[in-house]
Each structure stands twice: as structure tokens, then as C-alpha cells.
């Protein structure tokens, strides 16, 4: 039979999977000889059984009974003993800290008899009745699902009747009366009497803590923190120590360093004559922990010694909960403390300098997401700001500007020096100019993988998507929000791309010194110095190269400053927007070979100049250029708009020709239609024009003494024959001009991954397009599914995080591994990279390292994140560059 219960003397800090963080650390402190109340832990395995089967495992009750009897022998009294009761707390404790998300019940064992014994033994009748009313209140709320405000209203009424403001001003008779009131609340709202049998209290509390794992707030927290849903929580049964015995007792929390800044010092709060939940609930104002030195110097000095011992033992910032009972200090919990991103970086190398950890461990202690938080501008104090609504934080940062509703207007106002926020129901490629001009983007539709979100992240623009409470009327140039608020063009908005908050008016923005550091600013403060030390060591250790997704010279130059080692994806279709759209229309409407040739000839010098700017910015580094990928109809006017124009007699001859072309090119599912390599096969001269522009740009720069390294990437290949046709033409053009370039393909279809061995015969490199590979593997339309049902899928645990945010390792990841293995079996020197959004996702970077890729590519602003995570991945697998 499995062992489901462990005494604190039987565990240690390395058993978090089984005992949860709280139980493992209580055991560790016990082993260190610190003053920990005795107790035992019921494992998370028992919780998982309870959640799956609706009942506790066979034998658990008997095992708990044995450990409870041992605790009673150690304490010299029985649970709920009438004349001298043993009281216990029942506390949750999952593997990962989830502060406040699950339940705790204190003072288990009190009833109408034992409350008198507690009063007599303690000599403090007020304390006994206060403890009893706390039990009924916590038990009623936690175990019996009674609304907590009912109990709070009752104690507020008692204080009001007595004319006092604080709980400490209520006496024994007041609490005795409250016990009766609380019992009435239980009877009325739970349909039963408050249970007075101590063992029944404990059993019900244990089951309630198990059940709290799936409470809505716990589910939401796990989803936010990406904590797996199947872990379950352990339960800790701990002998009660009392901070509410009088003014020589109290409870507090302490941190061994400032969790906000990382500075060393004495940080925490203390509350006299109180139990632990009083500090969290804020029922009375706490005092700074330093005040404890005057209140109880002996306990204060002992606490400082313990704090130092714990930090040195855990080699990290520790978060501590303690209680003082009549001058005796007891440790109730410790854990590696949560901290801000800035504190994480500072503390990492403080501990290196103290000799507690090495540089590898320092890099392990920080994350790419923490670095991202430090890089984006952010709002300062929002306490006085007027929040309009909340959408989905799609691209981090803080942006303030005047509301505009069209890309044209965004460009106009930005050209006049105005900061603008572009409001759209959803964005399209036509909005690119406006998105570039805007300080931030706000949409009422879409999610984190919508066009607005993907493009905004690529540009480092702040973006909030899916603000569904906004009704955006582009024609009227206004948006209607909750509370009958109307936003007109020119009204100032502030948007937070991290939280998704949208504010009316201007909120002050704080610049990021970390971005200035990556941009080359030599001025350094303590935080920037810590970031620099982390990044330097991560770069030394990483095996994966990091490239950028960049489509113009400016982005390429920025990416290089951020540490990019080349470009992994240059999307040439972005070069066909704006004023150049007319040339694409001419190409589509061409009726003869000469017309088509003329249109291509007009585009070629523009393409060549684009490529030269990018090659110059990345001189000496590889630049992977993807030939045009999206369906051509995306460069034409909207079908509905043209149809209405023609039907109402407002169309020109060109409009009618455009309508005919749009109808001819219209597809039911363009994502799987005429795009990618299929365009190069079907439309003569299109890919040839692009290859010639690449080759001529390369030749001209070489002649000028520069060192361009072009890589030509063919998109959406599903069969080696497609690649062979395009490669043959590209090779001929390169030879004519006298330059060399690698020719490879994107692996973004399941068939391409499964036939990678064949495709590698014609490809010199693979770049995994994980955005489309995820779509085609799952059968998802990225633009539709997130708003349609992803929320429900996340809620049900079908997946823990969107597969467009973090790579689906089991499905898409398996295809990647197959392609890597079979591609390199055919061509051992095959270069392998990834250029989808996943290239900047921390968790996905670790997978790509493990899968054996040579590089990841991501948006310029995610490059430092990818560099850091590549270093962490190498350290974790004990590899060096």
C-alpha cells in the first residue's frame, strides 16, 4: 500500500512533488533544528486520488489516525480533549507556491466543551472564545461554502454595537456571543449544525483543502502561472501555536531580502495579538518588522539568526511566516520567495558575489519572461487613473496617445509629431503603416495570435486585443465603451499591453533602462549591471544561435544591437504594401506576358534596394529571405467593398477589372490555397524576380567591399518536387549573376516534416515555420479559434497553454524531431532553425535546444529573451557553446 502520510521528521525540501512546498519546507526546518510546531503531511498523491475518485484512498483514514496518535503522545494531549485540548491547523501546500489560492482552517478541535478547557489552561477566556469563533468562521467559509461576508458582517455589527473599531477591543463575552451568532449562520446557510466532533472537523477540513485545488481562483492562478493542473495539493496537519494569546504574542511575515528590489535588509510585517490570517486579511494595521526589536527583542534577535540561516541554507531569498506565543518564537513556513523581475536579476549575482551560488546557477535563477518584463516601458502609478475596460495583453508595454480609427489618420497625426493609439475591430496587412506609426494598437476582436498581436510583438509595439466591451465604429470614428462612455478621435487613451488594461486619459509612462542598455547606452545602474552579467554568462554558455525576424533595414539594425546573429526570417510580402500595392495589382491584372513582365520589372529594383539595406545592416551575418508567401488576393481590395461599389454604379473600369480578379482569386480557405511555393510554380517570373533582386543586391554589395550572406527560403513546400522546380530556376539565376546563396525551405506542413529526408536532398537548410505547422497539425485556423473556444479548452485542461504561444511538444514537437532526424540523415550538414513565434518563447527555446536545432529566430525585441533562454537550456543540459 502506498505511504500517504509523512511526519515532519521524515521529509525534506527535495520532496516537493510528494509533500508540496509547505510540507517539504516544514520538514526541512524541522531537520535543521528550528522551532517548528510538530505535525505531519498528507501527500499530494492522496489529493489526486480524491479528485479523480471523489473519495480518499483506502487506508488513508487509518494512516492519519496513527500519525495523529503519535502527535497527541508528543504533545501530551488529545485532539479536542475537553480539559486541555490539542488543536491543529489544516493547511494546503502545493508543489508550486500559490499564495492565497487554496484553503486553511485553524483551531480544529475546539467545541462547546473544549473551549472551556482552553480558557482554563491558558488563563485567558477572551483568547479561547476568539479562537473558537475563528474556527467556525474559517470552517464555515472553507468547508461549508458559506459566504464569508456573512461572518464579517456579524463581527462588524458586534464592534459597532460596542462602539469600537478593532477586534482587539472586543472582550470574552463579545466573542462568546459571536460564537452563537456564527452557529446560527452555519445552521441557516449550510442546513446543518456546526460539527463539534474534533475528528469529523479534521476529516472535513482535509477534504475541503483537497477540493480547493479546483476552486475557480486556483484554476485561474495556475493558468496564469502555467502550473500543471494535475499536480494536486498536499495537506499539512500542524499543532496550533497561538499569536492571539495577548500583547506578548503575535504573528508576522518576513523576507530575507526586499522582494521588490532585491536589496538586503530586514523586510516584513508584524501584528501583535493576532493569528496568521489577520496579517493577510488586513483586519488591523501591521507594524514594520523592525518594530519587533522594541516589542520583543529576544524573539527579534532569534528571528534574524533564523533568517540568515535559512537564506544560507536555501541559497536564495526566503519568505517566512512565524508566530510568537507568549514570548516563544515558532516558524510556521518558509519558501523561496516570489520577487519582482528586477529583484530576481539583482539577487542572482548578489548571491554569486557572496559565494553562495555560481554563475550557472545565477542564470538558472532568472527567466526570459522576467527579462521581457524589464524591457518594456510600463506605467507608473495607476491608482488615480480611470480604467475604461480590460482586454487581452497581447504585446507588453505601456502606450499613451490620441485615439485614431484608420491607418491613414495614424500616419497623418504621427507625421505631425502626435502620439496615437490605433483602434480597430481587428487589423489586416493594410493596417501595417498605421501600426508602425502608432504608439500602441487596441482591437475589440482577436487574441494573442491575431494579426494585431503577432505584428505588434514583432515590432515591439504595445498591443491590447479582444477588448470586447468596446464597440468600434470606424466610419463614425468613435468607440462606445461600458458606462455609456464614447471615445472620439483625438481623445487620449493609455493601454497596458501586459495586463490588458485600457485607461481614459494619460497615465505616466516609465522608460526601461534595460532597453537602453541593449540599444548601447553605456550608463549603468545596479539593475543594468546585473542584467549585463546574466546576459554575458548566458551568451558564453549557449549553443543555439539567435537570429531575428526582420523585414527592413531599421529593424535589422535594431536586432543586431540586441545581439542578433543574423536574420532567420525576412518576409518579402511586407515589402509589397503601401504605395507598392499598385505594382502587385498590375501584376495580378496583367493580361499578357509583356504586361506581367512590366509589372515585375517595376518591382525588382524596389526589392533589390530593400535587400541591400538589410544586407548592409547584417553585414557578415546570414540573412534568410522568404520568397512571397500569402495569397495574392490579400493585396487586392476587399471583395464585399468592390461588389457594393460595382453594384451601386460607383465603380471605375479599373474597379470592375479588380472585382473580376478578386472573384477569380477568391478561395474558401486561402490558408491552404494558392500561396507559398505554389505561387512560384503557377505565376511565371514572380519568384525569379525576387531571386534576381537578391542576387543583384548581393553582387553590388560584394563589389563595394561588403560581406552579404543571402539564404533563399521557399515557403510551404509539401513535396520535394515543388522545391526542385523553384531551386532549378533560382540556381540558374544565381549562376548568371555570379553569386552564391544557400537555398532551403520552411517546414510548415506535416507532410514536409514526414518527408524531410526526401526534401533534404534539394534543401541546404530547413527553417521550421511553427505558426503554420501548428495550424496544420491541429487543424486550427489561428485567426478564429482563440476567441471561439480556446478559453473553454484551457478551462477544461485540454491544453495548459495556447499551442500558438508555447510549442505543442507532443504533436508539433514530434514532427520537428522527425524532420530533424530524417533531414540530417540525408544531409548531415543540414542547417536547422525555427522562425515562428515560438522562437522567442522561453519554454519552446528549451525544446529547440534539446531537438538539436542550430538557431532560433524571433522578433527583435525578443532576441535578449531568446539569448537568455538558450543559455539556460545549455546549462540545464550541461552543454557549452
Amino acid at each position: 500500500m502506498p505511504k500517504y502520510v509523512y511526519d515532519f521528521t521524515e521529509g525534506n525540501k527535495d520532496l516537493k512533488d510528494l509533500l508540496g512546498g509547505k510540507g517539504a519546507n516544514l520538514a526541512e526546518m524541522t531537520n535543521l533544528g528550528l522551532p517548528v510546531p510538530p505535525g505531519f503531511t498528507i501527500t499530494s498523491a492522496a489529493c489526486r486520488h480524491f479528485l479523480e475518485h471523489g473519495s480518499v484512498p483506502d487506508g488513508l483514514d487509518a494512516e492519519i489516525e496513527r500519525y495523529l496518535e503519535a502527535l497527541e503522545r508528543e504533545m501530551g494531549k488529545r485532539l479536542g480533549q475537553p480539559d486541555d485540548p490539542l488543536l491543529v491547523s489544516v493547511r494546503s501546500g502545493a508543489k508550486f507556491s500559490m499564495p492565497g489560492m487554496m484553503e486553511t482552517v485553524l483551531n480544529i478541535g475546539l467545541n462547546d466543551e473544549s473551549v472551556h478547557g482552553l480558557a482554563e489552561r491558558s488563563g485567558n477566556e477572551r483568547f479561547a472564545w476568539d479562537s473558537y469563533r475563528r474556527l467556525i468562521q474559517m470552517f464555515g467559509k472553507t468547508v461549508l461554502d458559506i459566504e464569508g461576508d456573512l461572518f464579517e458582517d456579524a463581527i462588524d455589527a458586534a464592534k459597532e454595537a460596542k462602539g469600537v473599531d478593532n477586534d482587539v477591543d472586543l472582550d470574552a463575552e463579545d466573542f462568546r456571543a459571536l460564537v452563537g451568532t456564527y452557529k446560527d449562520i452555519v445552521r441557516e446557510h449550510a442546513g446543518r449544525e456546526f460539527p463539534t466532533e474534533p475528528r469529523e472537523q479534521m476529516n472535513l477540513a482535509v477534504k475541503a483543502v483537497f477540493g480547493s485545488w479546483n476552486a475557480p481562483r486556483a484554476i485561474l492562478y495556475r493558468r496564469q502561472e502555467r502550473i500543471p493542473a494535475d499536480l494536486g495539493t498536499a495537506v499539512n496537519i500542524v499543532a496550533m501555536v497561538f499569536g492571539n494569546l495577548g500583547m506578548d504574542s503575535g504573528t508576522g511575515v518576513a523576507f530575507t531580502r526586499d522582494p521588490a528590489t532585491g536589496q538586503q535588509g530586514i523586510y516584513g510585517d508584524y501584528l501583535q495579538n493576532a493569528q496568521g490570517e489577520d496579517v493577510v486579511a488586513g483586519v488591523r494595521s501591521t507594524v514594520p518588522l523592525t518594530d519587533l526589536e522594541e516589542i520583543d527583542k529576544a524573539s527579534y534577535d532569534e528571528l534574524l539568526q533564523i533568517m540568515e540561516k535559512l537564506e544560507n541554507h536555501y541559497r536564495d531569498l526566503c519568505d517566512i511566516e512565524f508566530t510568537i506565543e507568549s514570548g516563544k518564537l515558532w516558524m510556521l513556513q518558509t519558501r523561496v520567495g516570489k520577487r519582482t523581475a528586477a529583484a530576481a536579476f539583482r539577487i542572482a549575482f548578489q548571491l554569486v558575489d557572496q559565494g553562495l551560488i555560481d554563475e550557472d546557477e545565477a542564470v538558472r535563477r532568472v527567466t526570459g519572461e522576467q527579462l521581457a518584463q524589464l524591457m518594456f516601458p510600463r506605467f507608473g502609478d495607476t491608482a488615480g487613473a480611470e480604467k475604461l475596460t480590460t482586454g487581452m495583453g497581447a504585446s507588453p508595454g505601456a502606450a499613451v496617445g490620441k485615439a485614431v480609427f484608420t491607418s491613414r489618420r495614424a500616419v497623418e497625426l504621427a507625421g505631425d509629431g502626435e502620439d496615437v493609439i490605433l483602434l480597430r475591430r481587428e487589423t489586416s496587412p493594410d493596417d501595417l503603416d498605421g501600426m508602425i506609426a502608432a504608439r500602441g494598437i487596441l482591437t475589440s476582436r482577436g487574441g494573442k495570435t491575431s494579426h494585431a498581436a503577432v505584428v505588434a510583438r514583432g515590432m515591439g509595439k504595445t498591443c491590447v486585443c479582444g477588448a470586447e466591451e468596446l464597440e468600434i465604429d470606424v466610419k463614425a470614428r468613435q468607440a462606445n465603451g461600458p458606462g455609456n462612455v464614447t471615445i472620439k478621435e483625438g481623445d487620449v487613451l493609455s493601454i497596458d499591453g501586459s495586463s490588458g488594461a485600457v485607461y481614459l486619459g494619460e497615465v505616466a509612462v516609465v522608460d526601461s533602462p534595460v532597453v537602453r542598455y541593449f540599444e548601447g547606452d553605456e550608463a549603468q545602474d545596479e539593475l543594468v549591471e546585473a542584467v549585463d552579467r546574466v546576459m554575458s554568462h548566458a551568451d558564453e554558455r549557449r549553443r543555439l544561435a539567435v537570429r531575428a525576424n526582420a523585414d527592413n533595414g531599421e529593424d535589422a539594425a535594431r536586432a543586431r544591437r540586441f545581439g542578433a546573429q543574423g536574420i532567420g526570417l525576412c518576409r518579402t510580402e511586407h515589402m509589397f504594401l503601401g504605395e507598392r500595392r499598385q505594382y502587385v495589382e498590375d501584376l495580378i491584372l496583367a493580361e499578357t506576358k509583356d504586361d506581367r513582365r512590366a509589372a515585375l520589372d517595376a518591382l525588382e529594383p524596389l526589392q533589390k534596394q530593400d535587400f541591400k539595406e538589410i544586407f548592409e545592416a547584417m553585414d557578415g551575418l546570414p540573412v534568410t529571405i522568404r520568397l512571397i508567401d500569402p495569397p495574392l488576393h490579400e493585396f487586392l481590395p476587399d471583395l464585399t467593398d468592390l461588389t457594393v461599389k460595382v453594384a451601386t454604379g460607383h465603380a471605375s473600369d479599373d474597379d470592375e477589372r479588380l472585382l473580376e480578379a478578386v472573384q477569380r482569386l477568391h478561395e474558401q480557405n486561402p490558408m491552404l490555397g494558392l500561396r507559398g511555393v505554389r505561387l512560384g510554380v503557377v505565376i511565371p517570373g514572380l519568384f525569379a524576380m525576387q531571386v534576381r533582386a537578391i542576387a543583384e543586391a548581393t553582387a553590388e554589395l560584394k563589389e563595394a567591399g561588403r560581406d552579404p550572406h543571402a539564404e533563399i527560403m521557399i515557403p510551404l513546400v509539401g513535396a520535394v518536387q515543388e522545391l526542385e522546380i523553384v531551386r532549378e530556376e533560382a540556381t540558374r539565376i544565381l549562376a548568371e549573376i555570379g553569386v552564391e546563396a544557400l537555398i532551403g525551405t520552411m517546414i510548415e506542413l506535416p507532410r514536409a516534416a514526414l518527408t524531410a529526408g526526401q526534401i533534404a536532398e534539394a534543401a541546404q537548410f530547413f527553417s521550421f515555420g511553427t505558426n503554420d505547422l501548428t495550424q496544420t497539425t491541429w487543424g486550427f485556423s489561428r485567426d478564429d479559434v482563440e476567441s471561439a473556444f480556446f478559453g473553454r479548452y484551457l478551462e477544461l485542461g485540454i491544453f495548459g497553454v495556447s499551442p500558438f504561444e508555447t510549442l505543442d511538444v507532443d504533436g508539433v514537437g514530434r514532427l520537428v524531431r522527425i524532420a530533424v532526424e530524417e533531414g540530417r540523415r540525408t544531409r548531415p550538414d543540414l542547417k536547422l532553425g525555427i522562425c515562428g513565434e515560438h522562437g522567442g518563447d522561453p519554454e519552446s527555446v528549451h525544446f529547440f535546444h534539446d531537438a538539436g536545432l542550430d538557431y532560433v529566430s524571433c522578433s527583435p525585441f525578443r532576441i535578449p529573451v531568446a539569448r537568455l533562454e538558450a543559455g539556460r537550456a545549455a546549462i540545464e543540459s550541461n552543454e557549452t557553446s
Side-chain angles (χ1 to χ4, degrees), residues 311-575:
E311 179 167 280
N312 290 338
H313 182 72
Y314 282 88
R315 301 181 304 147
D316 208 343
L317 160 70
C318 288
D319 171 357
I320 296 164
E321 294 180 15
F322 66 93
T323 281
I324 298 173
E325 180 184 282
S326 300
K328 166 64 177 173
L329 176 66
W330 293 97
M331 306 304 295
L332 302 185
Q333 178 174 329
T334 191
R335 60 192 170 202
V336 171
K338 292 185 179 294
R339 66 209 69 185
T340 65
F345 276 81
R346 288 192 182 104
I347 290 171
F349 270 89
Q350 288 173 2
L351 296 173
V352 170
D353 294 340
Q354 289 176 237
L356 292 175
I357 62 175
D358 60 19
E359 290 184 317
D360 277 3
E361 181 62 25
V363 172
R364 286 193 191 98
R365 295 279 180 92
V366 295
T367 69
E369 284 305 323
Q370 289 172 326
L371 179 59
Q373 292 173 28
L374 296 179
M375 289 181 62
F376 287 97
R378 52 199 180 275
F379 289 129
D381 185 10
T382 60
E386 183 179 354
K387 183 185 285 189
L388 173 65
T389 187
T390 301
M392 183 179 297
S395 182
V400 180
K402 293 182 176 179
V404 296
F405 295 86
T406 66
S407 289
R408 177 180 295 179
R409 188 61 174 154
V411 172
E412 289 174 358
L413 288 183
D416 293 335
E418 299 276 10
D419 290 337
V420 299
I421 304 294
L422 177 62
L423 279 72
R424 304 287 287 169
R425 283 191 289 268
E426 55 200 0
T427 63
S428 71
D430 275 343
D431 292 314
L432 188 62
D433 286 347
M435 296 173 74
I436 292 171
R439 300 290 295 179
I441 299 118
L442 171 62
T443 71
S444 58
R445 300 176 185 169
K448 289 186 177 181
T449 56
S450 65
H451 175 270
V454 171
V455 174
R457 283 196 294 270
M459 296 188 296
K461 293 281 184 183
T462 299
C463 179
V464 173
C465 290
E468 296 178 351
E469 289 185 308
L470 291 181
E471 295 180 7
I472 295 176
D473 188 337
V474 174
K475 290 185 178 179
R477 297 192 178 189
Q478 68 178 38
N480 297 318
N484 296 319
V485 173
T486 298
I487 304 161
K488 297 183 180 296
E489 184 170 279
D491 290 346
V492 175
L493 293 177
S494 301
I495 63 173
D496 187 332
S498 297
S499 69
V502 180
Y503 301 95
L504 292 173
E506 182 174 352
V507 178
V509 174
V510 180
D511 289 333
S512 167
V514 174
V515 168
R516 294 197 298 271
Y517 153 71
F518 284 120
E519 290 276 15
D521 188 345
E522 294 183 1
Q524 291 195 353
D525 59 15
E526 185 183 3
L527 173 60
V528 170
E529 182 182 351
V531 171
D532 178 64
R533 292 178 69 180
V534 167
M535 296 304 298
S536 296
H537 191 67
D539 285 338
E540 289 176 8
R541 296 289 275 148
R542 65 184 167 93
R543 178 187 61 77
L544 280 172
V546 178
R547 298 194 193 181
N549 299 343
D551 309 325
N552 56 64
E554 182 181 350
D555 282 352
R558 178 184 296 112
R560 189 161 190 165
R561 292 195 298 272
F562 279 17
Q565 296 162 284
I567 289 179
L569 176 63
C570 172
R571 292 158 288 209
T572 55
E573 59 269 12
H574 286 180
M575 302 172 179

Side-chain angles (χ1 to χ4, degrees), residues 4 190 275 279 345 361 378 454 460-461 479 501 518 541 616 618 632 648 691 778 798 820 879:
Y4 287 114
Q275 286 195 312
V279 176
F345 276 81
E361 181 62 25
R378 52 199 180 275
V454 171
K461 293 281 184 183
F518 284 120
R541 296 289 275 148
E616 287 172 345
M618 284 289 169
L632 290 182
T648 56
V691 172
W778 278 90
I798 294 174
V820 168
E879 287 188 31

Side-chain angles (χ1 to χ4, degrees), residues 221-233:
Y221 185 87
R222 288 199 299 274
R223 188 181 304 161
Q224 177 72 22
E225 299 296 318
R226 297 189 180 185
I227 296 173
D230 59 355
L231 296 179
T233 181

